[in-house]
Each structure stands twice: as structure tokens, then as C-alpha cells.
Amino acid sequence: MSIFITRIHELAEIKAELAERDWFMGTSGNLSIKIQNNPLQFLVTASGKDKRKSTNEDFLIVDKDGRPVGETNVKPSAETLLHCEIYERSNAGCSLHVHTVANNVVSELYGDEGKVVFKGQELIKAFGRWEEDAEWEVPIIDNYAEIPRLAAALAPYVKADQGAVLIRNHGITVWGKDGFEAKKVLEACEFLFEYHLALLQAKANLQAIKQL
Ligand SMILES: [Zn+2]
């Protein structure tokens, strides 16, 4: 099987799994997977599609500037430049971007601090951090409607081949050396966000009960 077919199947599978989690509300979210370096080419989700459905036009190939390679009837996701930035600045092989309620709420809660830090959580091991007191920091950048500006804001945080950045009141972008790693980072981040919000809620409820 050609690398192109292998990668398209891989990305379609990730898309189906994330769709099952309902992480593509209102056609939001975009996914990409690298096909080759020199020149860089990667598969990215087409713009404006309902990603819970599978069609023959779900993905297209783009170059390092996010321009379609070859003839296609579809347009790349409006946020393709975020993916370009990641492949340009790291050896990542896959990048995933989703909008969820949990990642939006966490990004707003800690947006002024510019980051959210997790520690003492077993799941931090998903990021390759095995120390007992390991911390996992997710930077939070401001959201800009203009995508080149947003991509420029993301750029300084793409420092390793695996990572995650929250975009305030918008969503999360993660990347990893391949599809498996990128999905693992995304799932671990979303677990930590949901856990954190559930913990805050439980603490508030407990406080309210104590005051009765
Ligand atoms: Zn987005």
C-alpha cells in the first residue's frame, strides 16, 4: 500500500474516533497527517464538512504553505496554517485541533495566566513524563480571527515533536510524532480538563453543603 493510502486510512480512523467522542461540533475541528518531507506535503481535512460523516472528499493534500497539491474540488480547512506551523517547526507527523466545551472553559479560566498546569495526575505519563511529581503545562494563547496572526501566535510554543496549546475560547491544537501519539496527547489533555472542571464543581458543591 502506498504511504498516501496508509496515511489517509490512518487519518480517517482518527477522525471517526474523535467524531464518536463528539469533538466536531458545528463542523469545527481540523486534522492533519504528514505524507512526506522535502517538499513537505500533508493531508488535511476539507473545509466546512460535517466530520461525523465519511465521504470521498474528507481530506486533501496541501504543501508547506497550506496550498492544495493537484486538482481538487474541496478547500483545505480555514485553519490549515496552524498545521503548517507545526510541521515547519517540529518533526511531528500528525496534528489535531478540536473545539470542546471543556477545553474552552479551561482556556477562559486560566487565559489571563497564559497557561494551565497539571500535576499529581497519573495521566501525565501519556506525555512521556514518568516522574512522581511531574507537571504538564499547556500554554494558552489569545484567539485571533485572522489565521496568519493566530499561526504566528502559536509558533513560539512549537518547541518539541509533541505538544499542546490552548487557544482561548476557541479550542486546542496538539501534535505528536505520529497519529497514535497525537491522539494520545489530545485524549490525555481532554481528560485532564474534564477532571479539573469536575473537581472544581465538586469542591464548590461540598463548600455549599458545609454552609447549610
Ligand atoms: Zn478552530
Side-chain angles (χ1 to χ4, degrees):
M1 217 177 343
S2 76
I3 189 78
F4 168 72
I5 302 290
T6 308
R7 293 288 174 262
I8 210 163
H9 283 164
E10 209 178 333
L11 197 55
E13 206 171 296
I14 293 172
K15 178 173 148 300
E17 284 180 42
L18 303 189
E20 212 164 290
R21 295 185 185 277
D22 211 8
W23 285 352
F24 296 128
M25 294 296 218
T27 78
S28 68
N30 36 81
L31 318 174
S32 73
I33 199 159
K34 197 195 275 181
I35 300 174
Q36 63 172 53
N37 290 308
N38 306 318
L40 173 69
Q41 289 187 356
F42 62 91
L43 280 159
V44 68
T45 39
S47 177
K49 299 257 184 191
D50 181 350
K51 287 170 203 75
R52 285 168 294 197
K53 309 254 188 320
S54 269
T55 75
N56 291 330
E57 294 187 322
D58 288 342
F59 312 110
L60 66 154
I61 304 173
V62 296
D63 65 13
K64 68 174 179 50
D65 300 312
R67 285 182 304 233
V69 174
E71 284 292 301
T72 174
N73 296 320
V74 290
K75 279 201 230 161
S77 158
E79 293 169 337
T80 299
L81 282 181
L82 299 179
H83 300 259
C84 295
E85 211 62 62
I86 284 159
Y87 296 124
E88 163 134 8
R89 290 167 189 278
S90 74
N91 290 314
C94 179
S95 166
L96 310 171
H97 170 82
V98 297
H99 306 180
T100 67
V101 172
N103 68 37
N104 272 251
V105 174
V106 168
S107 76
E108 178 58 17
L109 271 180
Y110 298 98
D112 287 348
E113 290 159 44
K115 63 182 178 186
V116 57
V117 182
F118 297 98
K119 54 187 163 197
Q121 289 281 142
E122 177 69 13
L123 219 75
I124 290 175
K125 288 178 183 168
F127 310 116
R129 305 287 307 276
W130 300 88
E131 317 92 82
E132 214 161 78
D133 54 353
E135 287 190 350
W136 174 251
E137 184 177 308
V138 184
I140 305 169
I141 61 171
D142 284 335
N143 188 28
Y144 299 105
E146 208 187 308
I147 302 304
R149 198 173 169 200
L150 184 59
L154 171 74
Y157 298 98
V158 186
K159 294 174 188 157
D161 297 343
Q162 181 193 65
V165 171
L166 275 167
I167 306 167
R168 191 166 181 169
N169 276 325
H170 175 157
I172 191 168
T173 283
V174 308
W175 60 97
K177 71 175 168 53
D178 53 26
F180 177 85
E181 290 292 331
K183 191 163 72 77
K184 188 166 76 169
V185 171
L186 179 60
E187 288 175 343
C189 284
E190 292 295 328
F191 174 95
L192 292 172
F193 299 155
E194 286 176 27
Y195 165 84
H196 187 69
L197 297 178
L199 183 67
L200 290 181
Q201 186 64 60
K203 281 183 176 170
N205 291 347
L206 199 61
Q207 201 60 34
I209 290 167
K210 280 184 186 163
Q211 282 167 0
L212 283 177

